[in-house]
Amino acid sequence: QLSFLKTFLLEINAFLIGISKTGIPGVGILAIPLTAMVLPAKASTGLILPMLIMGDIFAVSYYRKKAVWKYVLRLLPFAAMGVIIGYFLMGKINDKQLSKFIGFIILIILFLNWYWNKKEIKIPEKFYFAVLMGLMAGITTMMANAAGPILIIYLLAMKLPKTEFVGTAAWYFFILNWFKVPFSIKLGLINFYSLKLNSLLIPGISIGAILGIIFLKKIPQKLFNQIV
């Protein structure tokens, strides 16, 4: 039984995931370490996945016609390979090791995002870059649910308009997150108790998703890129 404070913190995390799915891609990364502070690392990974999927449902429902499918299809096969690699790695590590991995991955990703923004690096549109991004996203999303900022780097490099940006990310993660479900169940990360807790977090995700849609409508493209 979680305390009121821990449940409230998880509700905030759900809100962050909701708003990241429909309005401010990347902000959901904050929910990853915060959830791992409330729950054991593996349990937190299993709890977050259904939250992400619900956010994905909001996003694909609203932006269903906005995806640029060539980018989705370019990345997905290699992301799926990364998920499978991540699945086997998850079976070999414990909570303490996973907790350190989550922290390490998030720090590296945040550094890459900061460095990309500071230096305005020109990222190649070559095929090998899609392979690298896909594999990295697959491994990190299976082990830490932290692939959002990796996709952000890729989509910013593609210079997509804000609605196409969110729509492409929505469909990409909707497909990839559902692909992860059987692996997460097999590992015991998703179970009856985790889903019961997930049901309490639906309001946070819903409010975040609705506010994200409103936010995206009002924000100029340049400011959107800077915030992301």
Side-chain angles (χ1 to χ4, degrees):
Q1 185 70 30
L2 294 177
S3 67
F4 172 80
L5 181 60
K6 288 184 176 181
T7 304
F8 178 74
L9 182 57
L10 290 177
E11 205 73 64
I12 296 295
N13 295 345
F15 172 82
L16 291 172
I17 288 172
I19 202 168
S20 74
K21 289 295 185 178
T22 60
I24 316 175
V27 75
I29 195 72
L30 296 170
I32 309 302
L34 288 174
T35 303
M37 290 169 64
V38 175
L39 300 170
K42 288 192 175 184
S44 73
T45 303
L47 182 72
I48 286 171
L49 181 54
M51 294 161 67
L52 294 173
I53 289 173
M54 185 172 180
D56 292 331
I57 291 170
F58 274 99
V60 298
S61 298
Y62 193 81
Y63 300 109
R64 59 188 176 277
K65 296 181 180 179
K66 296 296 183 180
V68 182
W69 281 98
K70 67 177 181 178
Y71 297 132
V72 176
L73 298 175
R74 186 181 296 175
L75 293 172
L76 270 177
F78 308 107
M81 290 170 59
V83 167
I84 295 169
I85 294 170
Y87 164 74
F88 285 110
L89 291 174
M90 282 286 278
K92 297 181 180 299
I93 62 175
N94 57 36
D95 270 314
K96 187 176 181 179
Q97 292 167 328
L98 180 60
S99 182
K100 290 181 178 179
F101 176 81
I102 290 172
F104 176 75
I105 285 296
I106 289 174
L107 287 174
I108 291 296
I109 287 170
L110 291 177
F111 172 77
L112 289 174
N113 276 261
W114 169 80
Y115 191 73
W116 148 265
N117 186 58
K118 185 171 184 278
K119 298 291 186 181
E120 296 185 355
I121 301 166
K122 181 172 176 58
I123 292 180
E125 296 189 37
K126 303 291 186 182
F127 180 72
Y128 74 84
F129 183 64
V131 174
L132 178 63
M133 290 288 102
L135 284 172
M136 285 177 58
I139 294 170
T140 55
T141 195
M142 184 66 222
M143 298 186 70
N145 290 308
I150 294 175
L151 185 67
I152 283 171
I153 292 173
Y154 185 81
L155 295 183
L156 281 174
M158 302 302 113
K159 297 180 170 58
L160 293 179
K162 60 182 184 179
T163 51
E164 281 75 9
F165 187 114
V166 175
T168 301
W171 276 107
Y172 172 79
F173 280 115
F174 179 75
I175 296 168
L176 190 60
N177 283 331
W178 275 109
F179 179 74
K180 287 159 55 181
V181 169
F183 298 102
S184 295
I185 292 173
K186 180 74 173 175
L187 289 167
L189 305 178
I190 295 178
N191 51 57
F192 172 78
Y193 299 103
S194 69
L195 292 174
K196 186 178 177 181
L197 182 53
N198 278 132
S199 67
L200 300 177
L201 304 177
I202 291 173
I205 299 170
S206 303
I207 293 169
I210 292 167
L211 289 179
I213 291 169
I214 296 169
F215 177 86
L216 194 66
K217 285 181 178 179
K218 296 183 179 296
I219 189 172
Q221 180 71 45
K222 185 177 180 181
L223 182 57
F224 171 82
N225 288 348
Q226 290 171 343
I227 291 174
V228 167

Tab-separated table of all heavy atoms in Angstrom, residues 112-168:
chain	number	residue	atom	x	y	z
A	112	LEU	N	23.412	14.715	-24.325
A	112	LEU	CA	23.347	14.753	-25.787
A	112	LEU	C	22.378	15.829	-26.271
A	112	LEU	O	22.663	16.550	-27.233
A	112	LEU	CB	22.929	13.380	-26.332
A	112	LEU	CG	23.965	12.259	-26.224
A	112	LEU	CD1	23.363	10.934	-26.677
A	112	LEU	CD2	25.209	12.590	-27.050
A	113	ASN	N	21.225	15.942	-25.594
A	113	ASN	CA	20.262	16.972	-25.972
A	113	ASN	C	20.840	18.372	-25.753
A	113	ASN	O	20.674	19.261	-26.582
A	113	ASN	CB	18.967	16.800	-25.178
A	113	ASN	CG	18.029	15.796	-25.808
A	113	ASN	OD1	17.098	16.151	-26.494
A	113	ASN	ND2	18.290	14.519	-25.593
A	114	TRP	N	21.517	18.561	-24.610
A	114	TRP	CA	22.131	19.853	-24.310
A	114	TRP	C	23.219	20.176	-25.331
A	114	TRP	O	23.299	21.288	-25.853
A	114	TRP	CB	22.713	19.832	-22.900
A	114	TRP	CG	23.594	21.014	-22.605
A	114	TRP	CD1	23.211	22.266	-22.251
A	114	TRP	CD2	25.033	21.036	-22.657
A	114	TRP	NE1	24.312	23.071	-22.071
A	114	TRP	CE2	25.441	22.341	-22.313
A	114	TRP	CE3	26.007	20.079	-22.951
A	114	TRP	CZ2	26.782	22.721	-22.264
A	114	TRP	CZ3	27.336	20.451	-22.898
A	114	TRP	CH2	27.713	21.752	-22.560
A	115	TYR	N	24.051	19.187	-25.641
A	115	TYR	CA	25.167	19.393	-26.565
A	115	TYR	C	24.663	19.702	-27.969
A	115	TYR	O	25.170	20.578	-28.661
A	115	TYR	CB	26.057	18.151	-26.584
A	115	TYR	CG	27.372	18.358	-27.296
A	115	TYR	CD1	28.381	19.124	-26.710
A	115	TYR	CD2	27.609	17.776	-28.541
A	115	TYR	CE1	29.593	19.322	-27.363
A	115	TYR	CE2	28.812	17.965	-29.190
A	115	TYR	CZ	29.810	18.745	-28.611
A	115	TYR	OH	30.997	18.938	-29.259
A	116	TRP	N	23.608	18.970	-28.369
A	116	TRP	CA	22.995	19.196	-29.678
A	116	TRP	C	22.448	20.619	-29.769
A	116	TRP	O	22.642	21.318	-30.750
A	116	TRP	CB	21.889	18.163	-29.896
A	116	TRP	CG	20.723	18.639	-30.722
A	116	TRP	CD1	19.544	19.148	-30.261
A	116	TRP	CD2	20.622	18.644	-32.142
A	116	TRP	NE1	18.718	19.472	-31.303
A	116	TRP	CE2	19.356	19.172	-32.460
A	116	TRP	CE3	21.481	18.256	-33.168
A	116	TRP	CZ2	18.930	19.328	-33.786
A	116	TRP	CZ3	21.054	18.407	-34.481
A	116	TRP	CH2	19.796	18.939	-34.768
A	117	ASN	N	21.791	21.081	-28.719
A	117	ASN	CA	21.205	22.415	-28.715
A	117	ASN	C	22.290	23.495	-28.687
A	117	ASN	O	22.186	24.525	-29.349
A	117	ASN	CB	20.291	22.577	-27.498
A	117	ASN	CG	19.547	23.889	-27.503
A	117	ASN	OD1	18.824	24.187	-28.443
A	117	ASN	ND2	19.728	24.681	-26.470
A	118	LYS	N	23.363	23.261	-27.921
A	118	LYS	CA	24.439	24.250	-27.758
A	118	LYS	C	25.258	24.407	-29.037
A	118	LYS	O	25.598	25.501	-29.453
A	118	LYS	CB	25.346	23.800	-26.604
A	118	LYS	CG	26.446	24.786	-26.228
A	118	LYS	CD	27.104	24.317	-24.935
A	118	LYS	CE	28.151	25.321	-24.462
A	118	LYS	NZ	29.431	25.160	-25.141
A	119	LYS	N	25.572	23.293	-29.660
A	119	LYS	CA	26.456	23.306	-30.821
A	119	LYS	C	25.707	23.351	-32.152
A	119	LYS	O	26.314	23.587	-33.188
A	119	LYS	CB	27.359	22.062	-30.795
A	119	LYS	CG	28.278	21.982	-29.584
A	119	LYS	CD	29.352	23.049	-29.645
A	119	LYS	CE	30.350	22.857	-28.504
A	119	LYS	NZ	31.404	23.884	-28.503
A	120	GLU	N	24.379	23.089	-32.102
A	120	GLU	CA	23.575	23.013	-33.319
A	120	GLU	C	24.222	22.064	-34.335
A	120	GLU	O	24.494	22.396	-35.481
A	120	GLU	CB	23.366	24.395	-33.928
A	120	GLU	CG	22.551	25.330	-33.023
A	120	GLU	CD	22.246	26.662	-33.682
A	120	GLU	OE1	22.735	26.893	-34.800
A	120	GLU	OE2	21.516	27.454	-33.082
A	121	ILE	N	24.473	20.857	-33.846
A	121	ILE	CA	25.144	19.848	-34.668
A	121	ILE	C	24.241	19.437	-35.828
A	121	ILE	O	23.045	19.234	-35.662
A	121	ILE	CB	25.483	18.603	-33.816
A	121	ILE	CG1	26.383	19.023	-32.656
A	121	ILE	CG2	26.140	17.526	-34.647
A	121	ILE	CD1	26.498	17.967	-31.583
A	122	LYS	N	24.839	19.284	-36.991
A	122	LYS	CA	24.081	18.794	-38.145
A	122	LYS	C	24.084	17.277	-38.111
A	122	LYS	O	25.117	16.631	-38.280
A	122	LYS	CB	24.686	19.303	-39.463
A	122	LYS	CG	23.906	18.843	-40.685
A	122	LYS	CD	24.404	19.510	-41.944
A	122	LYS	CE	23.683	18.968	-43.172
A	122	LYS	NZ	22.225	19.132	-43.100
A	123	ILE	N	22.921	16.702	-37.854
A	123	ILE	CA	22.811	15.252	-37.755
A	123	ILE	C	22.502	14.664	-39.138
A	123	ILE	O	21.622	15.160	-39.843
A	123	ILE	CB	21.715	14.855	-36.745
A	123	ILE	CG1	22.182	15.250	-35.335
A	123	ILE	CG2	21.441	13.372	-36.792
A	123	ILE	CD1	21.209	14.909	-34.246
A	124	PRO	N	23.211	13.632	-39.544
A	124	PRO	CA	23.033	13.085	-40.897
A	124	PRO	C	21.682	12.400	-41.086
A	124	PRO	O	21.129	11.842	-40.145
A	124	PRO	CB	24.165	12.054	-41.010
A	124	PRO	CG	24.473	11.673	-39.596
A	124	PRO	CD	24.239	12.904	-38.779
A	125	GLU	N	21.173	12.462	-42.294
A	125	GLU	CA	19.940	11.771	-42.644
A	125	GLU	C	20.241	10.409	-43.287
A	125	GLU	O	19.370	9.788	-43.868
A	125	GLU	CB	19.095	12.628	-43.599
A	125	GLU	CG	18.606	13.928	-42.975
A	125	GLU	CD	17.590	14.653	-43.854
A	125	GLU	OE1	16.771	13.965	-44.504
A	125	GLU	OE2	17.622	15.887	-43.893
A	126	LYS	N	21.463	9.964	-43.167
A	126	LYS	CA	21.878	8.696	-43.772
A	126	LYS	C	21.206	7.508	-43.087
A	126	LYS	O	20.767	7.589	-41.941
A	126	LYS	CB	23.399	8.542	-43.682
A	126	LYS	CG	24.179	9.683	-44.327
A	126	LYS	CD	24.034	9.681	-45.831
A	126	LYS	CE	24.942	10.747	-46.453
A	126	LYS	NZ	24.792	10.799	-47.926
A	127	PHE	N	21.197	6.372	-43.796
A	127	PHE	CA	20.544	5.164	-43.310
A	127	PHE	C	21.177	4.668	-42.019
A	127	PHE	O	20.482	4.231	-41.106
A	127	PHE	CB	20.616	4.085	-44.393
A	127	PHE	CG	19.967	2.787	-44.006
A	127	PHE	CD1	18.588	2.685	-43.923
A	127	PHE	CD2	20.741	1.670	-43.703
A	127	PHE	CE1	17.984	1.484	-43.564
A	127	PHE	CE2	20.135	0.476	-43.347
A	127	PHE	CZ	18.768	0.391	-43.274
A	128	TYR	N	22.504	4.740	-41.919
A	128	TYR	CA	23.186	4.225	-40.725
A	128	TYR	C	22.757	4.975	-39.471
A	128	TYR	O	22.734	4.415	-38.377
A	128	TYR	CB	24.706	4.274	-40.894
A	128	TYR	CG	25.303	5.661	-40.788
A	128	TYR	CD1	25.603	6.231	-39.551
A	128	TYR	CD2	25.581	6.390	-41.940
A	128	TYR	CE1	26.151	7.502	-39.456
A	128	TYR	CE2	26.130	7.658	-41.853
A	128	TYR	CZ	26.412	8.212	-40.611
A	128	TYR	OH	26.943	9.478	-40.520
A	129	PHE	N	22.397	6.252	-39.629
A	129	PHE	CA	21.965	7.036	-38.476
A	129	PHE	C	20.616	6.530	-37.971
A	129	PHE	O	20.378	6.443	-36.761
A	129	PHE	CB	21.868	8.518	-38.853
A	129	PHE	CG	21.493	9.414	-37.708
A	129	PHE	CD1	22.330	9.555	-36.621
A	129	PHE	CD2	20.287	10.101	-37.705
A	129	PHE	CE1	21.990	10.372	-35.553
A	129	PHE	CE2	19.934	10.917	-36.650
A	129	PHE	CZ	20.793	11.055	-35.568
A	130	ALA	N	19.723	6.167	-38.896
A	130	ALA	CA	18.428	5.597	-38.518
A	130	ALA	C	18.625	4.258	-37.802
A	130	ALA	O	17.921	3.957	-36.826
A	130	ALA	CB	17.552	5.413	-39.753
A	131	VAL	N	19.577	3.452	-38.264
A	131	VAL	CA	19.871	2.163	-37.619
A	131	VAL	C	20.338	2.401	-36.188
A	131	VAL	O	19.848	1.769	-35.232
A	131	VAL	CB	20.945	1.379	-38.405
A	131	VAL	CG1	21.354	0.115	-37.647
A	131	VAL	CG2	20.438	1.025	-39.797
A	132	LEU	N	21.289	3.323	-36.021
A	132	LEU	CA	21.839	3.629	-34.698
A	132	LEU	C	20.759	4.165	-33.763
A	132	LEU	O	20.627	3.707	-32.613
A	132	LEU	CB	22.972	4.648	-34.832
A	132	LEU	CG	23.623	5.114	-33.522
A	132	LEU	CD1	24.288	3.933	-32.820
A	132	LEU	CD2	24.640	6.216	-33.797
A	133	MET	N	19.964	5.114	-34.239
A	133	MET	CA	18.909	5.706	-33.416
A	133	MET	C	17.853	4.660	-33.050
A	133	MET	O	17.352	4.631	-31.927
A	133	MET	CB	18.242	6.873	-34.157
A	133	MET	CG	19.091	8.109	-34.315
A	133	MET	SD	19.333	9.025	-32.763
A	133	MET	CE	20.991	8.511	-32.340
A	134	GLY	N	17.507	3.800	-34.010
A	134	GLY	CA	16.508	2.769	-33.761
A	134	GLY	C	16.962	1.784	-32.689
A	134	GLY	O	16.220	1.479	-31.753
A	135	LEU	N	18.192	1.291	-32.813
A	135	LEU	CA	18.719	0.344	-31.824
A	135	LEU	C	18.827	0.969	-30.437
A	135	LEU	O	18.432	0.364	-29.431
A	135	LEU	CB	20.098	-0.165	-32.271
A	135	LEU	CG	20.114	-1.206	-33.382
A	135	LEU	CD1	21.538	-1.467	-33.853
A	135	LEU	CD2	19.456	-2.508	-32.932
A	136	MET	N	19.342	2.191	-30.379
A	136	MET	CA	19.465	2.884	-29.090
A	136	MET	C	18.097	3.088	-28.442
A	136	MET	O	17.906	2.864	-27.248
A	136	MET	CB	20.154	4.240	-29.281
A	136	MET	CG	21.645	4.164	-29.503
A	136	MET	SD	22.360	5.792	-29.802
A	136	MET	CE	21.898	6.674	-28.312
A	137	ALA	N	17.129	3.508	-29.270
A	137	ALA	CA	15.784	3.745	-28.750
A	137	ALA	C	15.160	2.448	-28.240
A	137	ALA	O	14.515	2.427	-27.194
A	137	ALA	CB	14.909	4.371	-29.828
A	138	GLY	N	15.342	1.360	-28.981
A	138	GLY	CA	14.762	0.075	-28.585
A	138	GLY	C	15.306	-0.434	-27.263
A	138	GLY	O	14.558	-0.868	-26.384
A	139	ILE	N	16.627	-0.379	-27.104
A	139	ILE	CA	17.252	-0.860	-25.867
A	139	ILE	C	16.845	0.005	-24.684
A	139	ILE	O	16.446	-0.496	-23.628
A	139	ILE	CB	18.792	-0.890	-26.012
A	139	ILE	CG1	19.198	-1.940	-27.052
A	139	ILE	CG2	19.445	-1.207	-24.672
A	139	ILE	CD1	20.661	-1.894	-27.450
A	140	THR	N	16.916	1.323	-24.848
A	140	THR	CA	16.601	2.220	-23.731
A	140	THR	C	15.120	2.209	-23.387
A	140	THR	O	14.756	2.344	-22.216
A	140	THR	CB	17.052	3.658	-24.025
A	140	THR	OG1	16.472	4.108	-25.262
A	140	THR	CG2	18.549	3.757	-24.114
A	141	THR	N	14.251	2.025	-24.391
A	141	THR	CA	12.821	2.010	-24.076
A	141	THR	C	12.430	0.724	-23.365
A	141	THR	O	11.554	0.727	-22.491
A	141	THR	CB	11.953	2.216	-25.330
A	141	THR	OG1	10.614	2.534	-24.920
A	141	THR	CG2	11.906	0.992	-26.229
A	142	MET	N	13.078	-0.399	-23.680
A	142	MET	CA	12.766	-1.654	-23.012
A	142	MET	C	13.278	-1.649	-21.576
A	142	MET	O	12.606	-2.116	-20.659
A	142	MET	CB	13.382	-2.831	-23.778
A	142	MET	CG	13.023	-4.205	-23.211
A	142	MET	SD	11.269	-4.591	-23.375
A	142	MET	CE	10.911	-5.319	-21.788
A	143	MET	N	14.444	-1.073	-21.359
A	143	MET	CA	15.082	-1.142	-20.052
A	143	MET	C	14.752	0.045	-19.148
A	143	MET	O	14.813	-0.071	-17.926
A	143	MET	CB	16.595	-1.256	-20.214
A	143	MET	CG	17.020	-2.518	-20.955
A	143	MET	SD	18.804	-2.747	-20.984
A	143	MET	CE	19.123	-3.147	-19.263
A	144	ALA	N	14.427	1.192	-19.762
A	144	ALA	CA	14.247	2.386	-18.936
A	144	ALA	C	13.081	3.265	-19.366
A	144	ALA	O	12.830	4.292	-18.742
A	144	ALA	CB	15.538	3.205	-18.933
A	145	ASN	N	12.364	2.889	-20.424
A	145	ASN	CA	11.285	3.730	-20.956
A	145	ASN	C	11.784	5.143	-21.239
A	145	ASN	O	11.057	6.124	-21.062
A	145	ASN	CB	10.107	3.790	-19.974
A	145	ASN	CG	9.369	2.480	-19.871
A	145	ASN	OD1	8.961	1.893	-20.868
A	145	ASN	ND2	9.210	1.985	-18.651
A	146	ALA	N	13.032	5.248	-21.704
A	146	ALA	CA	13.656	6.566	-21.827
A	146	ALA	C	14.060	6.896	-23.257
A	146	ALA	O	15.026	7.626	-23.480
A	146	ALA	CB	14.883	6.636	-20.913
A	147	ALA	N	13.310	6.390	-24.227
A	147	ALA	CA	13.700	6.594	-25.623
A	147	ALA	C	13.183	7.905	-26.210
A	147	ALA	O	13.587	8.286	-27.304
A	147	ALA	CB	13.196	5.431	-26.480
A	148	GLY	N	12.294	8.595	-25.488
A	148	GLY	CA	11.716	9.827	-26.026
A	148	GLY	C	12.733	10.836	-26.514
A	148	GLY	O	12.671	11.290	-27.672
A	149	PRO	N	13.717	11.209	-25.678
A	149	PRO	CA	14.707	12.192	-26.124
A	149	PRO	C	15.563	11.719	-27.291
A	149	PRO	O	16.080	12.542	-28.050
A	149	PRO	CB	15.561	12.406	-24.864
A	149	PRO	CG	14.643	12.093	-23.736
A	149	PRO	CD	13.823	10.943	-24.233
A	150	ILE	N	15.749	10.407	-27.448
A	150	ILE	CA	16.503	9.895	-28.597
A	150	ILE	C	15.723	10.176	-29.878
A	150	ILE	O	16.277	10.650	-30.875
A	150	ILE	CB	16.781	8.387	-28.439
A	150	ILE	CG1	17.709	8.148	-27.252
A	150	ILE	CG2	17.404	7.815	-29.722
A	150	ILE	CD1	17.952	6.686	-26.933
A	151	LEU	N	14.415	9.907	-29.837
A	151	LEU	CA	13.587	10.190	-31.007
A	151	LEU	C	13.530	11.691	-31.272
A	151	LEU	O	13.492	12.122	-32.422
A	151	LEU	CB	12.171	9.636	-30.810
A	151	LEU	CG	11.256	9.774	-32.040
A	151	LEU	CD1	11.753	8.895	-33.180
A	151	LEU	CD2	9.817	9.430	-31.705
A	152	ILE	N	13.527	12.487	-30.215
A	152	ILE	CA	13.509	13.943	-30.367
A	152	ILE	C	14.717	14.422	-31.162
A	152	ILE	O	14.597	15.252	-32.071
A	152	ILE	CB	13.457	14.629	-28.983
A	152	ILE	CG1	12.037	14.540	-28.422
A	152	ILE	CG2	13.908	16.091	-29.060
A	152	ILE	CD1	11.914	14.991	-26.989
A	153	ILE	N	15.903	13.911	-30.827
A	153	ILE	CA	17.114	14.283	-31.564
A	153	ILE	C	16.942	13.974	-33.046
A	153	ILE	O	17.262	14.788	-33.919
A	153	ILE	CB	18.346	13.536	-30.999
A	153	ILE	CG1	18.657	14.029	-29.584
A	153	ILE	CG2	19.566	13.732	-31.898
A	153	ILE	CD1	19.751	13.238	-28.883
A	154	TYR	N	16.387	12.795	-33.324
A	154	TYR	CA	16.206	12.377	-34.717
A	154	TYR	C	15.192	13.261	-35.444
A	154	TYR	O	15.452	13.750	-36.546
A	154	TYR	CB	15.743	10.917	-34.751
A	154	TYR	CG	15.651	10.355	-36.159
A	154	TYR	CD1	16.795	9.908	-36.814
A	154	TYR	CD2	14.435	10.286	-36.828
A	154	TYR	CE1	16.729	9.400	-38.104
A	154	TYR	CE2	14.356	9.781	-38.114
A	154	TYR	CZ	15.502	9.338	-38.740
A	154	TYR	OH	15.436	8.852	-40.015
A	155	LEU	N	14.039	13.494	-34.812
A	155	LEU	CA	12.985	14.261	-35.486
A	155	LEU	C	13.338	15.740	-35.615
A	155	LEU	O	12.950	16.391	-36.587
A	155	LEU	CB	11.655	14.094	-34.746
A	155	LEU	CG	11.068	12.678	-34.761
A	155	LEU	CD1	9.718	12.647	-34.051
A	155	LEU	CD2	10.930	12.136	-36.185
A	156	LEU	N	14.078	16.272	-34.655
A	156	LEU	CA	14.556	17.657	-34.799
A	156	LEU	C	15.495	17.766	-35.998
A	156	LEU	O	15.469	18.755	-36.734
A	156	LEU	CB	15.268	18.125	-33.528
A	156	LEU	CG	14.385	18.545	-32.354
A	156	LEU	CD1	15.245	18.838	-31.135
A	156	LEU	CD2	13.527	19.759	-32.692
A	157	ALA	N	16.302	16.734	-36.197
A	157	ALA	CA	17.212	16.717	-37.337
A	157	ALA	C	16.442	16.677	-38.659
A	157	ALA	O	16.909	17.199	-39.678
A	157	ALA	CB	18.154	15.525	-37.241
A	158	MET	N	15.251	16.083	-38.629
A	158	MET	CA	14.425	15.995	-39.839
A	158	MET	C	13.634	17.286	-40.100
A	158	MET	O	12.966	17.410	-41.116
A	158	MET	CB	13.457	14.805	-39.743
A	158	MET	CG	14.136	13.461	-39.548
A	158	MET	SD	15.325	13.025	-40.832
A	158	MET	CE	16.875	13.071	-39.918
A	159	LYS	N	13.683	18.222	-39.135
A	159	LYS	CA	13.043	19.536	-39.276
A	159	LYS	C	11.538	19.440	-39.577
A	159	LYS	O	11.016	20.099	-40.486
A	159	LYS	CB	13.758	20.360	-40.351
A	159	LYS	CG	15.200	20.675	-40.009
A	159	LYS	CD	15.866	21.493	-41.091
A	159	LYS	CE	17.218	22.006	-40.638
A	159	LYS	NZ	18.158	20.954	-40.227
A	160	LEU	N	10.848	18.626	-38.780
A	160	LEU	CA	9.407	18.469	-38.977
A	160	LEU	C	8.632	19.619	-38.333
A	160	LEU	O	9.014	20.103	-37.262
A	160	LEU	CB	8.930	17.152	-38.350
A	160	LEU	CG	9.416	15.858	-38.999
A	160	LEU	CD1	8.861	14.667	-38.245
A	160	LEU	CD2	9.007	15.798	-40.457
A	161	PRO	N	7.524	20.070	-38.950
A	161	PRO	CA	6.614	21.011	-38.286
A	161	PRO	C	6.082	20.389	-36.998
A	161	PRO	O	6.036	19.160	-36.861
A	161	PRO	CB	5.495	21.206	-39.316
A	161	PRO	CG	6.086	20.814	-40.624
A	161	PRO	CD	7.093	19.733	-40.315
A	162	LYS	N	5.640	21.219	-36.047
A	162	LYS	CA	5.319	20.737	-34.696
A	162	LYS	C	4.240	19.655	-34.674
A	162	LYS	O	4.365	18.672	-33.941
A	162	LYS	CB	4.924	21.903	-33.792
A	162	LYS	CG	3.708	22.694	-34.256
A	162	LYS	CD	3.404	23.866	-33.321
A	162	LYS	CE	2.135	24.580	-33.751
A	162	LYS	NZ	1.794	25.702	-32.858
A	163	THR	N	3.173	19.803	-35.478
A	163	THR	CA	2.114	18.785	-35.431
A	163	THR	C	2.573	17.470	-36.058
A	163	THR	O	2.236	16.388	-35.571
A	163	THR	CB	0.834	19.277	-36.128
A	163	THR	OG1	1.171	19.773	-37.439
A	163	THR	CG2	0.171	20.390	-35.330
A	164	GLU	N	3.365	17.549	-37.140
A	164	GLU	CA	3.921	16.346	-37.749
A	164	GLU	C	4.949	15.700	-36.812
A	164	GLU	O	5.071	14.476	-36.739
A	164	GLU	CB	4.569	16.664	-39.100
A	164	GLU	CG	3.586	16.821	-40.249
A	164	GLU	CD	2.827	18.140	-40.210
A	164	GLU	OE1	3.181	19.016	-39.387
A	164	GLU	OE2	1.877	18.309	-41.003
A	165	PHE	N	5.668	16.528	-36.101
A	165	PHE	CA	6.636	16.043	-35.112
A	165	PHE	C	5.920	15.191	-34.066
A	165	PHE	O	6.294	14.039	-33.806
A	165	PHE	CB	7.308	17.261	-34.451
A	165	PHE	CG	8.446	16.945	-33.526
A	165	PHE	CD1	9.737	17.351	-33.840
A	165	PHE	CD2	8.244	16.267	-32.332
A	165	PHE	CE1	10.794	17.077	-32.983
A	165	PHE	CE2	9.287	15.994	-31.471
A	165	PHE	CZ	10.572	16.397	-31.799
A	166	VAL	N	4.868	15.751	-33.448
A	166	VAL	CA	4.133	15.046	-32.401
A	166	VAL	C	3.392	13.836	-32.973
A	166	VAL	O	3.359	12.769	-32.361
A	166	VAL	CB	3.160	16.001	-31.682
A	166	VAL	CG1	2.295	15.244	-30.674
A	166	VAL	CG2	3.935	17.110	-30.961
A	167	GLY	N	2.819	13.986	-34.154
A	167	GLY	CA	2.088	12.882	-34.776
A	167	GLY	C	2.983	11.708	-35.133
A	167	GLY	O	2.613	10.546	-34.933
A	168	THR	N	4.172	12.000	-35.641
A	168	THR	CA	5.132	10.946	-35.987
A	168	THR	C	5.600	10.222	-34.729
A	168	THR	O	5.640	8.985	-34.683
A	168	THR	CB	6.343	11.548	-36.730
A	168	THR	OG1	5.879	12.209	-37.915
A	168	THR	CG2	7.340	10.474	-37.112
